[in-house]
Amino acid sequence: MVEEMPHFFFIYQVNTKQVVYATPACEQLLGVAPAQATEQLPELLSRLHPDDQPYLARCWNLWVRGHLHDELEFRVRRTEAPNQWMSLVLSPHQQRLADGEVLIGGFLRDVTTERDNLENANRFNAKKNATLEILSHDLAGPLALVQQISAAMQAQVLPLGNAKLTEALGIMQTICHDSVNLIRDFVDNEFMTSANVELKLDRVDLVWRVNLTMEEYQRAAAQLNKQFLFLPASAPIYVNLDENKFLQVLNNLLSNSIKFTHEGGRIIVRIEQQRGQVLLTVQDDGIGIAPELQPGLFERFTKARRPGLRGEKTTGLGMSIIKTIVELHRGQIWLESAENQGTTFYITLPSLDS
């Protein structure tokens, strides 16, 4: 049965560094005949993607000490084709023979199609989340302006005693108010569900992933009348993330910056590798947060909630959910802010490449 499986099963002798058994799938997956697996092993290892080599070395050390039981996914370079994604499952136990030799077994399978499908889904989801935030500001702003204008007009025409005109202006205000709330409620509900679902962690290049989101905001910079800058200190930088949930954190922080930054303002996202952790910052030059509001900002239904500069409403839940998601990633979040000088949010996450 093992011989007929599409997955490559192998037994490796640690002391002699030899593949003592390999199923026929070895040739299908890696282009190497089973009998030549040991001979071709150095060439196969040289094809590992450079970004994944330190990661696999750390995983190997963890497995040797009995601290690794997870499925590993990594990339193998191909000469005339895109990278091949492989999934490796090692036996949780080592077999020690009477002569002291140590054997390990494992399964290797090609997950390129699965990863491509996941990548396309994540790209779509990142675009969707960013687009929702952008549209909420892009649509809510004009509606809020129409609401303010209609209220001013209603005050002017009220002395005229024209009941129909006064009623029409009142209906216009109500429609605008309800529409703005509907847009914001839809975006808020999308975000609030994130804290209620178990994390699905994966090894992610945070720089590349955040860049996809920032590109959406940069394309909408003219409509939002803001500058969006992304300044990573280096690339790539890998972390363990539930990327959909974490990107919703980023979108929510960007949304808050947009709400509280004047027209023509600047919003900057930075990422840098530090010792044992990765630091992500979201900085704006907006109106800032008063000192008395800062201590309770991350509390549920915080009293620090306030409408945006264009009247955008807030539930007071956003920051508490952001904190929850960050902490689920074993990270921390805090802020620095001064009134009329702007706000910077700091997020640290455990690093995979420290």
Side-chain angles (χ1 to χ4, degrees), residues 8-12 14 59-60 62-72 87-96 102-108:
F8 168 35
F9 175 71
F10 63 89
I11 298 176
Y12 179 70
V14 177
C59 289
W60 173 261
L62 287 171
W63 182 85
V64 168
R65 299 197 304 270
H67 297 157
L68 180 71
H69 308 287
D70 297 329
E71 184 175 3
L72 309 179
S87 171
L88 174 63
V89 178
L90 292 172
S91 168
H93 305 291
Q94 303 175 15
Q95 180 68 41
R96 189 173 296 274
V102 177
L103 300 179
I104 61 171
F107 279 97
L108 188 71

Side-chain angles (χ1 to χ4, degrees), residues 12 17-19 32 36-48 53 77:
Y12 179 70
K17 299 182 179 180
Q18 290 185 326
V19 180
V32 173
Q36 298 176 328
T38 297
E39 179 185 343
Q40 296 294 318
L41 188 57
E43 192 275 332
L44 291 173
L45 293 175
S46 72
R47 287 162 49 192
L48 292 173
Q53 291 177 16
R77 294 178 296 177

